[in-house]
Amino acid sequence: MILFLALTAFATAIAGATAFVIFWPLTLVHIRDRHPAIAEQLGEGAFLKPKALWWLLRRGYRAYPDASLSGLATPAWVSLLVILDGLAMGGALWIVGKALA
């Protein structure tokens, strides 16, 4: 049962990744087109750069009064949290499952 729950947690992380690959590129295109200062801060090819992901994770977009930016970045932030939480929960459950087997 524990390994099933671990598999479910990994499936949740995959669902989060699906949402992430939809909303994060849209956010980056919006940043490129309307916020050159942020684009310069994040750098070229920011999709999987740790600096850009950390900016998203700490919700750096909230410092800018742009409802469109928040509307795109918030779902990307939530999906990044889902990915991280799903991987952490799945990994912890997998370790527990292996220890009990």
Side-chain angles (χ1 to χ4, degrees):
M1 183 67 175
I2 290 178
L3 290 178
F4 172 75
L5 292 175
L7 184 61
T8 304
F10 288 128
T12 303
I14 292 170
T18 303
F20 185 78
V21 299
I22 293 170
F23 285 103
W24 185 229
L26 291 173
T27 303
L28 291 173
V29 167
H30 180 80
I31 288 170
R32 181 195 66 201
D33 293 345
R34 299 196 180 166
H35 300 280
I38 303 172
E40 184 178 319
Q41 176 188 355
L42 297 180
E44 187 71 26
F47 184 73
L48 288 178
K49 278 188 174 178
K51 183 178 182 180
L53 293 175
W54 181 246
W55 179 84
L56 178 63
L57 198 57
R58 66 179 172 80
R59 300 176 82 179
Y61 58 89
R62 296 183 80 200
Y64 299 91
D66 182 356
S68 298
L69 177 60
S70 290
L72 290 169
T74 300
W77 172 72
V78 169
S79 61
L80 183 58
L81 288 179
V82 169
I83 293 168
L84 296 174
D85 290 344
L87 290 175
M89 292 291 288
L93 288 168
W94 181 75
I95 290 170
V96 169
K98 287 296 188 177
L100 294 177

